[in-house]
Structure formats: structure tokens, C-alpha cells
């Protein structure tokens, strides 16, 4: 069923004109888009900033290898907590209040990083900020998707990943600028407070999600927003979904109806981000292990902008080539790139090209992390499901980031890179848990097909040359197979 603004309800006393509705809709979409994209950018900024600051703060705070790994992994551990927690809170209490509180945590944590005196303090603060990052993943994209028009929604959601990589690259540039300043890592980490202030000001006037209101049975409030902003939503379908899912909670993710979607979203996301986060956090140490430590900073700057180019390409082609083609082949290609660097660790061209292809294709596939998890969960479980998938993806990333410095010290860069290649190859396993049909409003219902008269098997036999029994049997099987296969909704 095509989605259109609600019409089957009582109109307000002074209904807005179409021009007014269009103006309000564009204003809201612009504000929400910037508020969400800046939030995603801060996520990348916080995770990317530690890569440039790690060497200096390790020296200043006298971190052990164990604490170094904990500080690097702390935001990822926090995401494991914050994704399900904020996702469930947003499903229960609404998108809007959680969307604002989450950014306030960013702001406070950014400022506190400047005043830390030991590794434990920095670990706890960044752990709290990781909780907020998990909340951003669980709330930002779902809220934007629930207000976005159907046409171009996939590309809009994928653009959030561009913001993440832009934030990551910007943090790398800021870190490089403060690299030669005494205590510069403090200013570099605390600089995210400036971005957080801008984002808090944008989020103050954003209304609640009309879809969430419908999922809670608050139809009048939802229809007022639908009228005001011209939101594309099928009210009847949303209310029907509510009646089917009103008793579903967190445990529903593991029920027969949603288990396949939960496993798929968690597995592909975890395999995609684990090598990137682990290597990116300890980029300098990896390059030193490959005897290219003098080029680590310049390489990180180049590769950060390569990632921006990759995710941009991914966003542009995601609706053209399809989700599967953007996900499965890059898994194998990026695995091969890391394996080549591990096999030829002394070849500069192999190292440079291997990491370039790895980062470009990994970033291109990451555009799907803002689309697929949203498409496989219904509205009543969307932020909960996305939050859980986010948490599971960061469990793997946190483990990899925590173990990488110890792996470098004990086994060397070749072993670490081969493990990363194995994780990417393992991502292909997500084919076995691929949802057969995403249960989501982003898919357009197939057009009704006219009823057809059952084929006359006698006529099929007559159409085949006499004496060719094998041809007749194959023709009859083909007829039966065509009639039994349903048409795919897309």
C-alpha cells in the first residue's frame, strides 16, 4: 500500500494551506537532518580523535598496555550499554526527550575530558560518552527515517554515514594541529564540546515522531503532526501493526518472528566495523609495527579522507546496485587486502594500496549500517532492534580494539592483520541469516496481479515435439515452478 498523508480523520478547524504545509515540512526536515547528521559527526569525531591523541596521552598519563587498550575500547564498550538502553527508552518514552538528553551527555563528557589526571578517569568519561553514542545510533536514524519522505529515504539515511566519516576525518585534522602542542591532546579531545553545543541548540524544537505516537495509540496528536508537516504515513497500517505488536518487548527480538532480522543486523554490522575501529584506534602503533611509523600521521589523514570518499560513493550507489551487492563482495575484497598486507609486510606499495582499498570499500559498505537495521524491524521495535544491533556490533569492535595493542606486542602486525581479514571473511556468513522479506514500511507493496487461468497441461504436451518425453516433463515442471514462485516485493 502506498504511503500518503492521513486523510481519513477529522480535519482541524483551520487546515493549513498546501504552501504552508510544504514550508513547514521543509523547515522541519532541514532542521532534523542537520541535528541528526551533526550527531553522527560527533560520534565519528569522538572515536576518531583518540587515534591521534593516543600516543601523547599514553606518555602524559603513564598508561600501561592494559589501560591503553581500555581507553581505546571505552566508547565501544559504552555503545554496548547505550544502544539497547536508549533504544528501549526511546520506544517507551518517545524519540524526542531521549534525542535531547543523549546530546547533553556528549557535551558534559567532552568538557570533562580536558581535566582528567589519570587513565581510569579518562576511561570512565569516555565510557559514558560511548553510552551516549549508542543512544545516538539507536535514536537518530530512526527518528529521521520516520519523518523522511519515502522517495530518497535510503540515500538520506546512508548520508548519515558520510557525516560520521567527516567527523572522523575532522578529528584527525584537529589532532594533527594539536600534535606539537604541549598537552594538545586535551584540547583535541575537548573540542567536541563546540559541536555538541550547536547540536543541542538544533534539537530543542524538534517534535515527537508521529509514527511513535501512532504506535502508542495517540492518534489525534499524530494526525495533527501529519497534517502540519505533510508526513507520508499510512495511519491504518501503523495502527494495525500496533495491535499486533503492542505486547512485544525486548524479548521479542529473539522470538520466531524477529530472530532472523536480529541475527542478520548484528552479524553484518559487527564484522564490518571490528577491523576498522581496531586498526583506526591504534593506527600509529600498526604503522610502527610495519616499520612505517614516520608516515603514520600523513597516512591517517589520507586514509581518513579516503573513507569519506568511500562512504559517499556507497550512498550514491546503494539504491542503484542494491544492498547485497554493496555488502557481500566488499567483505571478500577487503579481507583480501588485509591478507595481502600481512603476507607482504615489507612492501610499501602493497601496504599503501592494501589499506587504501580496505578503507575505501569498508566505508562504502558502511552506508548500509544506517539503512538495513531500520528496514528489518517494525516501528514498535525499531529503536530497540537498532540499539541491540549497534550493541552487538560494538561488542566485537571493543574486543578487537582492546586486544589489538597486546596482539601487536606479542604476535606482531601480520597476525593482527590476518585476524582482521578472517573477521571480514566471516561477515559473508550473514547470508545464512538474511531476512527473507524485510518487514518494513520502506518497501512498496507489489501491485495486484490479475487472476490467471490455470495452464492446460494437455496443450503444453501438444506444443512439444512428439517422442520428446524429457522435453515434456521439463516444460510441465517449469509451468508449475513459475506459478509457485511469489513475486519479490521490490
Amino acid at each position: 500500500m502506498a504511503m500518503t498523508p492521513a486523510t481519513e480523520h477529522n480535519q482541524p478547524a483551520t487546515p493549513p494551506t498546501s504552501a504552508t504545509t510544504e514550508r513547514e515540512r521543509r523547515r522541519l526536515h532541514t532542521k532534523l537532518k542537520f541535528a541528526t547528521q551533526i550527531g553522527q559527526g560527533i560520534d565519528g569525531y569522538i572515536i576518531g580523535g583518540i587515534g591521534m591523541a593516543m600516543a601523547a596521552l599514553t606518555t602524559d598519563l603513564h598508561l600501561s598496555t592494559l589501560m591503553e587498550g581500555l581507553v581505546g575500547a571505552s566508547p565501544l564498550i559504552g555503545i554496548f550499554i547505550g544502544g539497547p538502553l536508549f533504544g528501549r527508552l526511546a520506544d517507551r518514552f518517545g524519540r524526542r526527550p531521549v534525542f535531547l538528553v543523549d546530546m547533553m551527555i556528549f557535551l558534559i563528557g567532552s568538557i570533562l575530558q580536558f581535566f582528567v589526571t589519570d587513565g581510569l578517569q579518562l576511561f570512565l568519561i569516555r565510557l559514558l560518552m560511548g553510552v551516549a553514542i549508542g543512544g545516538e545510533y539507536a535514536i537518530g536514524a530512526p527518528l529521521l527515517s520516520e519523518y523522511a519522505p519515502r522517495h530518497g529515504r535510503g540515500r538520506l539515511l546512508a548520508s548519515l554515514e558520510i557525516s560520521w566519516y567527516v567527523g572522523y576525518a575532522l578529528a584527525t585534522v584537529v589532532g594533527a594541529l594539536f600534535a606539537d602542542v604541549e598537552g594538545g591532546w586535551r584540547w583535541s579531545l575537548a573540542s567536541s564540546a563546540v559541536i555538541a553545543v550547536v547540536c543541542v541548540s538544533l534539537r530543542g524544537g524538534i517534535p515527537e515522531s508521529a509514527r511513535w505516537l501512532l504506535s502508542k495509540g495517540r492518534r489525534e496528536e499524530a494526525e495533527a503532526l501529519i497534517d502540519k508537516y505533510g508526513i507520508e504515513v499510512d495511519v491504518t497500517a501503523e495502527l494495525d501493526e500496533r495491535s499486533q505488536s503492542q505486547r512485544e518487548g525486548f524479548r521479542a527480538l529473539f522470538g520466531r518472528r524477529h530472530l532472523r532480522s536480529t541475527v542478520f543486523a548484528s552479524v553484518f554490522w559487527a564484522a564490518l566495523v571490528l577491523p576498522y575501529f581496531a586498526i583506526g584506534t591504534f593506527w600509529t602503533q600498526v604503522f610502527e609495527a610495519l616499520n612505517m611509523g614516520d608516515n603514520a600521521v600523513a597516512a591517517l589523514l589520507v586514509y581518513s579522507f579516503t573513507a569519506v570518499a568511500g562512504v559517499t560513493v556507497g550512498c550514491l550507489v546503494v539504491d542503484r546496485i542494491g544492498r547485497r551487492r554493496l555488502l557481500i563482495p566488499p567483505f571478500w575484497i577487503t579481507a583480501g587486502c588485509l591478507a595481502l598486507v600481512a603476507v607482504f609486510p615489507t612492501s610499501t606499495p602493497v601496504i599503501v594500496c592494501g589499506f587504501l582499498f580496505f578503507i575505501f570499500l569498508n566505508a562504502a559498505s558502511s552506508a548500509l549500517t544506517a539503512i538495513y537495521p531500520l528496514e528489518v524491524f517494525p516501528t514498535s521495535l525499531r529503536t530497540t532492534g537498532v540499539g541491540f544491533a549497534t550493541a552487538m556490533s560494538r561488542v566485537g569492535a571493543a574486543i578487537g580494539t582492546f586486544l589489538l595493542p597486546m596482539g601487536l606486542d606479542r604476535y606482531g602486525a601480520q597476525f593482527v592483520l590476518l585476524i582482521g581479514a578472517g573477521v571480514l571473511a566471516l561477515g559473508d556468513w550473514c547470508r545464512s541469516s538474511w531476512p527473507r522479506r524485510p518487514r518494513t514500511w520502506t518497501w512498496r507493496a507489489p501491485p495486484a496481479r490479475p487472476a490467471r487461468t490455470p495452464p492446460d497441461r494437455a496443450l503444453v504436451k501438444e506444443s512439444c515435439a512428439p517422442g520428446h518425453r524429457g522435453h515434456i516433463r521439463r516444460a510441465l515442471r517449469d509451468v508449475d515452478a513459475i506459478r509457485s514462485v511469489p513475486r519479490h516485493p521490490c
Side-chain angles (χ1 to χ4, degrees):
M1 180 180 295
M3 292 170 296
T4 57
T7 56
E8 297 180 0
H9 58 274
N10 295 329
Q11 296 295 329
T14 55
T17 64
S18 58
T20 303
T21 301
E22 180 65 17
R23 186 165 54 250
E24 292 285 348
R25 185 185 65 82
R26 289 185 178 181
R27 184 180 302 169
L28 174 63
H29 286 177
T30 301
K31 187 174 184 179
L32 183 56
K33 181 174 69 173
F34 280 118
T36 309
Q37 288 178 333
I38 292 175
Q40 291 286 327
I42 292 180
D43 298 345
Y45 193 95
I46 290 170
I47 293 176
I50 197 69
M52 292 296 293
M54 183 62 76
L57 68 86
T58 298
T59 302
D60 290 356
L61 300 180
H62 309 289
L63 301 184
S64 63
T65 303
L66 175 63
M67 184 55 69
E68 188 179 2
L70 286 173
V71 169
S74 54
L76 304 174
I77 299 171
I79 292 172
F80 171 71
I81 302 170
L85 175 62
F86 277 89
R88 190 58 187 157
L89 290 174
D91 277 338
R92 184 171 183 179
F93 300 108
R95 310 323 194 207
R96 184 178 181 275
V98 183
F99 195 49
L100 185 59
V101 169
D102 147 83
M103 191 51 57
M104 293 299 298
I105 296 176
F106 274 126
L107 178 59
I108 295 170
S110 298
I111 296 173
L112 291 178
Q113 287 183 107
F114 185 85
F115 301 100
V116 296
T117 57
D118 58 47
L120 180 60
Q121 292 178 3
L122 185 59
F123 167 76
L124 293 176
I125 292 172
R126 291 184 67 82
L127 179 69
L128 179 63
M129 297 178 75
V131 172
I133 293 176
E136 187 67 27
Y137 289 147
I139 304 165
L143 181 59
L144 179 61
S145 69
E146 290 168 5
Y147 268 107
R150 180 186 55 79
H151 178 70
R153 182 182 285 130
R155 185 174 297 179
L156 175 62
L157 294 175
S159 71
L160 295 179
E161 288 301 306
I162 298 179
S163 302
W164 192 95
Y165 282 97
V166 168
Y168 192 100
L170 181 60
T172 303
V173 172
V174 172
L177 293 175
F178 283 104
D180 297 328
V181 178
E182 184 176 356
W185 62 268
R186 296 180 183 273
W187 294 100
S188 175
L189 295 182
S191 60
S192 57
V194 178
I195 309 175
V197 169
V198 175
C199 198
V200 168
S201 65
L202 285 173
R203 295 189 175 188
I206 292 175
E208 185 53 85
S209 165
R211 295 180 187 273
W212 179 83
L213 292 171
L214 287 171
S215 72
K216 297 301 178 182
R218 295 159 62 176
R219 180 166 183 165
E220 292 183 0
E221 298 174 62
E223 290 177 342
L225 289 174
I226 292 170
D227 283 334
K228 182 176 181 180
Y229 297 112
I231 305 170
E232 295 178 355
V233 55
D234 189 325
V235 175
T236 303
E238 292 289 339
L239 293 175
D240 288 345
E241 182 183 286
R242 172 180 178 266
S243 65
Q244 296 174 3
S245 307
Q246 58 185 352
R247 294 185 179 181
E248 292 183 331
F250 183 78
R251 288 183 297 178
L253 294 176
F254 310 100
R256 185 175 181 180
R257 184 183 176 195
H258 303 297
L259 180 60
R260 182 183 290 268
S261 298
T262 302
V263 172
F264 164 72
S266 302
V267 169
F268 99 83
W269 203 342
L272 193 64
V273 302
L274 189 156
Y276 187 90
F277 281 164
I279 295 173
T281 301
F282 296 99
W283 184 266
T284 303
Q285 291 87 331
V286 171
F287 258 55
E288 288 177 353
L290 294 171
N291 299 317
M292 295 185 64
D294 294 339
N295 302 314
V297 174
L300 183 56
L301 289 170
V302 172
Y303 292 147
S304 296
F305 287 99
T306 299
V308 175
V311 72
T312 303
V313 171
C315 293
L316 294 176
V317 303
V318 64
D319 288 330
R320 295 184 179 181
I321 67 174
R323 275 60 161 157
R324 298 191 184 203
R325 292 180 181 177
L326 188 58
L327 183 64
I328 299 301
F331 266 137
W332 289 106
I333 297 173
T334 52
C337 290
L338 292 186
L340 280 175
V341 175
V343 173
F344 302 101
T346 58
S347 173
T348 300
V350 171
I351 294 174
V352 172
C353 294
F355 277 121
L356 275 174
F357 277 103
F358 160 69
I359 291 174
F360 182 87
L361 290 175
N362 184 275
S365 296
S366 71
L368 294 172
T369 62
I371 302 175
Y372 248 143
L374 297 174
E375 291 184 341
V376 297
F377 294 109
T379 301
S380 58
L381 282 175
R382 185 162 294 130
T383 56
T384 300
V386 172
F388 180 81
T390 301
M392 292 300 100
S393 72
R394 268 42 180 188
V395 167
I399 293 173
T401 303
F402 172 69
L403 294 178
L404 188 140
M406 291 180 278
L408 283 176
D409 289 343
R410 185 166 299 183
Y411 302 107
Q414 291 174 279
F415 174 81
V416 169
L417 292 173
L418 286 175
I419 293 296
V423 170
L424 289 167
L426 186 64
D428 185 58
W429 177 79
C430 67
R431 290 195 203 191
S432 63
S433 59
W434 210 292
R436 294 174 183 171
R437 179 177 177 180
R439 293 172 293 277
T440 171
W441 41 263
T442 57
W443 294 96
R444 181 181 296 178
R449 292 187 298 176
R452 295 186 298 178
T453 304
D456 190 333
R457 298 170 66 89
L459 291 177
V460 174
K461 290 182 180 181
E462 291 178 4
S463 64
C464 297
H468 290 268
R469 296 182 180 179
H471 293 174
I472 294 174
R473 285 196 298 268
R474 283 194 293 272
L476 292 175
R477 281 200 303 268
D478 290 343
V479 169
D480 294 338
I482 291 172
R483 289 183 56 80
S484 64
V485 175
R487 182 177 297 177
H488 194 275
C490 62

